[in-house]
Amino acid sequence: ADGELVQYHYGLKDLVTILFYIFIAIILHAVVQEYALDKISRRLHLSKVKHSKFNESGQLVAFHLTSVIWCLYVVVTEGYISNPRSLWENYPHVYLPYHVKFFYLCQLAYWLHALPELYFQKVRKEEIPRQLRCIALYLLHIAGAYLLNLTRLGLILLLLQYLAEFFFHMARLVYFTDENNEKLFNVWAVVFVVTRLFTLTLYILVIGFGLPRVESQALDPERGNFFSFLFNNILFRMSVLLLVCLFQASVMWRFIHFQLRRWREYWNEQSSRKRAAAAGTKQQTKLLKRDSGYHENGVVKAENGTSPRTKKLKSP
């Protein structure tokens, strides 16, 4: 009827929906690979290692761009950005609007489809552990937010994470086309730091101040309230915040270490180029001096190797 808002809950039938969209994701993956990435990579003549990274970044750029636009539309439509209190008010958020539930199911389907794609794309054995770890972390966080009724917080965190990942993989694509162009890596570095700060602030706001003020603090799995009662205990709340801060600090430390190594390699490359240019200039100067006949073995000679002095003609 007019005026009624239909909302949804998770259940076992979600598994069938996820399975269907896994096949859809595999088809879309093949379309992007066939009609976009393969045509570009053939023109670039990349090595096997770069070709694998190019395909990975190309697929993730398409996925992250779509997810950022979709996620931004959802959080703006639902008012999660304009009203931050909605992230914890009326917790647990058991019933979801259609586009929120559909977004989470598609996210789970995409990251599950990435497992068979490791075989279809013939990913190198050295790269498989890293990609499996990445897929497992995304599935753990997305499924955790979906099943523990933290979908609103999960949407904001995914938006921040995907935004930083989009700039990183876009910078890699630009680098493969032109190895001297690393400007987008600098943009990614700024976006990464800003998103980490927003993520940490959001955790502190929701866990430290939001969830402890929820009216229903009793453990009630039937209503979807799993752990809000734990946040009444200040020791538990501070322990969770400490773990979050340590995790974010470790991420930032790896990022800083990566940037320092990258800058060191850049300056070493620049200095080696300068030394090579200086050596080439000296060698060219020596050749010019030798060819122009300035001196040779302490004796000044002309260009044809003869003495520059004028010869006196003998009288007949």
Side-chain angles (χ1 to χ4, degrees):
D2 294 338
E4 286 188 359
L5 179 63
V6 180
Q7 292 187 326
Y8 300 84
H9 184 46
Y10 60 79
L12 291 177
K13 292 181 180 180
D14 290 345
L15 298 177
V16 181
T17 308
I18 291 172
L19 180 62
F20 173 76
Y21 283 102
I22 285 175
F23 294 118
I24 298 297
I26 291 174
I27 294 172
L28 293 177
H29 189 113
V31 169
V32 173
Q33 185 69 39
E34 178 70 22
Y35 293 98
L37 298 179
D38 286 345
K39 292 182 178 180
I40 298 174
S41 61
R42 279 195 293 267
R43 293 180 180 180
L44 297 177
H45 304 289
L46 300 173
S47 62
K48 290 184 178 180
V49 176
K50 290 185 177 181
H51 185 266
S52 176
K53 292 181 178 180
F54 180 84
N55 290 335
E56 178 190 0
S57 293
Q59 294 287 347
L60 289 176
V61 160
F63 168 71
H64 286 140
L65 180 60
T66 305
S67 297
V68 165
I69 295 173
W70 189 0
C71 190
L72 185 62
Y73 168 78
V74 172
V75 298
V76 171
T77 304
E78 294 297 319
Y80 299 153
I81 294 179
S82 59
N83 183 21
R85 289 177 177 271
S86 61
L87 297 178
W88 62 81
E89 283 183 343
N90 301 320
Y91 178 83
H93 308 130
V94 179
Y95 298 104
L96 308 174
Y98 170 76
H99 47 268
V100 175
K101 179 181 176 66
F102 187 54
F103 176 81
Y104 271 94
L105 294 182
C106 289
Q107 292 294 314
L108 291 171
Y110 179 85
W111 290 110
L112 285 172
H113 111 281
L115 294 173
E117 285 295 342
L118 295 177
Y119 173 77
F120 295 148
Q121 294 292 321
K122 298 180 181 179
V123 178
R124 296 185 305 128
K125 292 182 179 180
E126 297 81 4
E127 292 290 323
I128 290 179
R130 178 186 63 83
Q131 296 200 22
L132 285 177
R133 185 167 58 250
C134 178
I135 294 169
L137 286 174
Y138 273 113
L139 287 174
L140 177 64
H141 285 80
I142 296 171
Y146 184 64
L147 297 176
L148 297 176
N149 302 312
L150 290 169
T151 51
R152 299 180 182 181
L153 177 62
L155 282 171
I156 305 296
L157 294 177
L158 279 177
L159 177 61
L160 295 172
Q161 175 67 19
Y162 285 164
L163 187 64
E165 289 292 310
F166 168 75
F167 279 102
F168 172 73
H169 290 288
M170 194 67 196
R172 280 216 305 186
L173 290 181
V174 174
Y175 175 76
F176 289 141
T177 57
D178 182 11
E179 294 186 356
N180 295 322
N181 191 349
E182 298 186 1
K183 294 180 180 179
L184 267 182
F185 278 111
N186 299 327
V187 176
W188 164 71
V190 175
V191 173
F192 182 86
V193 173
V194 172
T195 53
R196 290 302 100 191
L197 292 176
F198 271 103
T199 300
L200 183 59
T201 304
L202 196 61
Y203 272 120
I204 294 174
L205 181 64
V206 175
I207 296 176
F209 299 98
L211 289 178
R213 298 181 181 180
V214 173
E215 295 179 359
S216 178
Q217 295 289 348
L219 176 63
D220 191 359
E222 293 183 359
R223 295 185 62 250
N225 193 344
F226 294 102
F227 52 81
S228 64
F229 70 99
L230 294 174
F231 290 98
N232 279 331
N233 189 337
I234 190 171
L235 291 178
F236 177 81
R237 187 162 68 246
M238 295 305 295
S239 299
V240 172
L241 289 176
L242 180 61
L243 288 175
V244 169
C245 292
L246 289 176
F247 176 75
Q248 295 297 324
S250 66
V251 171
M252 286 299 300
W253 169 250
R254 289 197 298 269
F255 169 77
I256 293 172
H257 180 71
F258 169 77
Q259 290 295 328
L260 290 176
R261 185 180 62 186
R262 176 170 160 259
W263 289 338
R264 185 166 55 248
E265 291 175 355
Y266 173 77
W267 288 115
N268 289 338
E269 183 180 356
Q270 292 296 322
S271 60
S272 62
R273 286 182 179 179
K274 289 181 180 179
R275 287 195 297 267
T281 304
K282 289 181 180 179
Q283 186 71 18
Q284 188 176 6
T285 304
K286 289 181 179 179
L287 292 174
L288 287 173
K289 287 182 178 180
R290 180 173 297 178
D291 293 339
S292 58
Y294 287 120
H295 64 279
E296 184 177 342
N297 296 328
V299 179
V300 178
K301 292 186 177 182
E303 293 182 0
N304 57 1
T306 59
S307 175
R309 298 176 183 175
T310 58
K311 295 183 179 180
K312 294 182 180 180
L313 296 175
K314 296 182 180 179
S315 57

